[in-house]
Amino acid sequence: MPQLEIDRPLQDFFQKSSIALALAHADADNHLALVNEPFCKLTGYDSSDVVGRNCRMLQTSPKGTHAPNDEARDKIHEFLEADGPATVRTPIVNFRKDDQPFVNLLFMSKLKAGSGQVRYILASQFDVSRAHAHLLQAYDLELGDTLAKIKPLLDDHNIMIEGTLATIANSTTTIAQAKLTLAELEQNSPY
Ligand SMILES: Cc1cc2nc3c(=O)[nH]c(=O)nc-3n(C[C@H](O)[C@H](O)[C@H](O)COP(=O)(O)O)c2cc1C
């Protein structure tokens, strides 16, 4: 199997991207293989803190506060099923390394081999808790562009990405929902 995670063009693409990106192995616990600088800036974690771990670590603050995120995790579980949807987008409460909570608008897409087997999962994260709608629109455009540009890089590995821009347009309600989630969190917690 080609070692996609070490593949130089893909790494370069990740590092040049202005939006947060993460790539995980499609193994039993979806260990992270690669994250980029905007991901590190958003979460406060270095690549060495997170590579090899499951991204659920962001749902618990370093001080131990845990956000259950039941609804978001149900959606992610459904997506991760072999016959689940090609993409998922959900707001999910996360914590930065400095303990600050934020609402992460998480997008995930499956990268499949020609055989149909899922090889990797690509994700992108965006902080919608304090962002204005126009910033989310700009992010969506960038995400759509990223998905389009990543396709030819994966072709060499005979791997296809399933997500397209058309599947991710639901910004206004999502941002409103996220703001409510954060307001509730801030009301009920000591932050
Ligand atoms: C590539 C990738 C990136 C992910 N990024 C995040 C993230 O930024 N924040 C988050 O809370 N969960 C993220 N997840 C989801 C969790 O890793 C996990 O799949 C989710 O919490 C559901 O599983 P669990 O109920 O076993 O924790 C990501 C998953 C993958 C595969």
Side-chain angles (χ1 to χ4, degrees):
M1 190 206 305
Q3 290 300 299
L4 177 60
E5 66 276 18
I6 313 297
D7 187 64
R8 177 56 65 184
L10 190 73
Q11 266 191 28
D12 288 350
F13 181 83
F14 257 56
Q15 294 317 332
K16 278 192 208 132
S17 176
S18 63
I19 59 172
L21 297 173
L23 185 75
H25 298 278
D27 58 14
D29 203 34
N30 300 131
H31 295 112
L32 287 171
L34 197 61
V35 295
N36 69 353
E37 193 51 39
F39 175 97
C40 296
K41 210 169 156 209
L42 173 70
T43 62
Y45 287 99
D46 288 338
S47 160
S48 58
D49 292 327
V50 296
V51 166
R53 299 179 65 183
N54 183 294
C55 229
R56 76 169 69 79
M57 62 177 279
L58 297 177
Q59 296 160 26
T60 305
S61 82
K63 284 193 181 145
T65 311
H66 180 70
N69 285 308
D70 292 335
E71 206 180 309
R73 284 178 37 249
D74 281 353
K75 270 175 101 171
I76 297 172
H77 294 161
E78 196 192 336
F79 159 78
L80 290 172
E81 293 285 318
D83 57 353
T87 61
V88 68
R89 183 174 232 189
T90 179
I92 188 160
V93 175
N94 280 178
F95 297 88
R96 291 172 42 85
K97 194 179 182 179
D98 64 8
D99 275 294
Q100 276 301 309
F102 67 100
V103 180
N104 180 355
L105 181 59
L106 177 64
F107 170 81
M108 293 163 74
S109 177
K110 290 174 184 159
L111 305 189
K112 286 189 175 175
S115 62
Q117 193 195 2
V118 181
R119 285 280 167 78
Y120 297 93
I121 295 159
L122 176 75
S124 181
Q125 292 81 6
F126 183 70
D127 179 356
V128 280
S129 37
R130 294 162 193 96
H132 295 290
H134 71 277
L135 290 178
L136 181 59
Q137 273 161 22
Y139 164 77
D140 274 0
L141 284 179
E142 198 59 42
L143 179 56
D145 197 44
T146 298
L147 296 177
K149 285 194 178 137
I150 220 164
K151 271 186 212 291
L153 295 179
L154 298 167
D155 278 350
D156 290 350
H157 300 273
N158 193 22
I159 286 181
M160 291 167 306
I161 182 164
E162 297 207 307
T164 65
L165 183 61
T167 61
I168 57 173
N170 61 352
S171 314
T172 325
T173 41
T174 314
I175 203 165
Q177 251 171 18
K179 285 188 171 173
L180 275 178
T181 309
L182 192 75
E184 279 165 22
L185 188 80
E186 282 172 339
Q187 242 174 24
N188 299 328
S189 80
Y191 293 100

